[in-house]
Structure formats: C-alpha cells, structure tokens
Amino acid sequence: MRVIVIIDSDRQFPKMQFKPDKQKIIDFCVQNEIKYHILEKREMENYIPDKVIDYIAFETNNEYLKAYLNLLPIAKDFFDIEKGFYNKNYNKLPEEVKALFKNDDNFKLFRKKWENKKFYRNGKMSFKSEFPKLFEHKNVTQQSLLDRVKHQKNKNELQEILSKINELL
C-alpha cells in the first residue's frame, strides 16, 4: 500500500501542543509504518497564496479577506479563515493567540460572522469543500506557494511533502 497522511495541525499558535486526536493519528501512522506529515500551519487553507486571497477579496469586495491580507505572516498561519474569532472576547483568548493579533485593528471585523457567497453550494456555506478549490487558481504557482512558507520555521516544508510523496512512487 502506498499512502501518505497529511494532517492539519489545528494549532492556534506556533508552540501549541497537538491535541490528543492528532497524537492518536501520529501513533497509528508510526505503528503501521505509514508516511505522514502534520502541517506547520493551522490548516491547509492557510497555504493559499496571498495573491489568490487578494484576487478573491477584490473580486467580491470582501472586507474580511482584505483584513486577513493585512495580518502578519505568522498570524495568517494560525488564523482560522473560516470562523475567524466569531463572537470571541479578545481578553479571553490564550496569551499566545493575543500576541499574534495584538496590533491588529481588524479584530472586531474577525469577530463577525463571515459570509461569502463564493463559498456556498446549494444555498449552504460549504467552506471546507469550496475554499480549497482556490489551489486551482491561476495565481497558485510554485513561487507563490514558496512565498507563503518563506517565513516559517521549516521553509522547506512543501519540498519535504513532495519528497515523501515521491518516495512512494
């Protein structure tokens, strides 16, 4: 069997420990000698290049996405694009999360429910199935993806994933 498991980290800040469900997946993969990779960023959506987000924000005149583009790269990495900080009180967030967003004037905007008709299917919000389709956008290139990870601790993360996949071929 040739398989690789690629998992969202679901971390809210860089040094956050993996939740128990992630650790169970890691343990299973190790025990069964299955290649795996846990993303450094929170979710796969956080790898969408800024050029694509900018295009969508302009096309739809979306203030939420425009505000997202103004975040520091490290804050973009751990921001839940789908849910933002919906109805969350800044003062009740973990200190590590507050540190990522301490200078952000748009926090109030991120507390509102984000609705964008572009990510609806059959009248229902379908972010998890529609947003990843942005990886097919013409502005997703090798360079734009590399630009999205150049500030990370592991700047070679995408190449490492490709190498793991290549080993299986």
Side-chain angles (χ1 to χ4, degrees), residues 5-11 16-39 164:
V5 177
I6 301 176
I7 312 163
D8 290 341
S9 74
D10 292 334
R11 294 183 303 162
M16 182 178 170
Q17 296 295 315
F18 294 126
K19 294 179 181 175
D21 64 326
K22 298 291 176 216
Q23 193 57 52
K24 285 181 183 180
I25 295 170
I26 293 168
D27 294 343
F28 178 84
C29 289
V30 169
Q31 289 171 354
N32 292 284
E33 299 178 4
I34 297 171
K35 287 189 184 302
Y36 71 93
H37 183 87
I38 298 182
L39 298 174
K164 289 176 183 179

Side-chain angles (χ1 to χ4, degrees), residues 108-145:
K108 288 180 184 176
L109 180 63
F110 295 138
R111 289 188 71 227
K112 296 178 182 175
K113 186 169 181 125
W114 175 49
E115 292 192 18
N116 188 318
K117 300 298 181 200
K118 185 167 186 67
F119 305 110
Y120 274 70
R121 176 187 276 168
N122 300 327
K124 291 184 176 181
M125 180 68 156
S126 189
F127 182 88
K128 287 294 183 187
S129 65
E130 296 301 312
F131 199 82
K133 291 178 183 176
L134 293 178
F135 280 109
E136 299 171 2
H137 192 276
K138 66 181 179 180
N139 288 336
V140 175
T141 64
Q142 181 177 6
Q143 188 57 55
S144 67
L145 289 168

Side-chain angles (χ1 to χ4, degrees), residues 12-13 71-72 75 79 84-112:
Q12 298 173 8
F13 52 89
L71 293 173
L72 294 172
F79 182 70
F85 293 106
Y86 182 60
N87 277 342
K88 292 189 179 172
N89 182 328
Y90 178 84
N91 294 322
K92 293 185 178 181
L93 295 172
E95 291 303 317
E96 298 89 345
V97 174
K98 288 196 282 190
L100 290 174
F101 298 91
K102 68 181 174 191
N103 296 322
D104 192 87
D105 296 330
N106 295 303
F107 191 82
K108 288 180 184 176
L109 180 63
F110 295 138
R111 289 188 71 227
K112 296 178 182 175

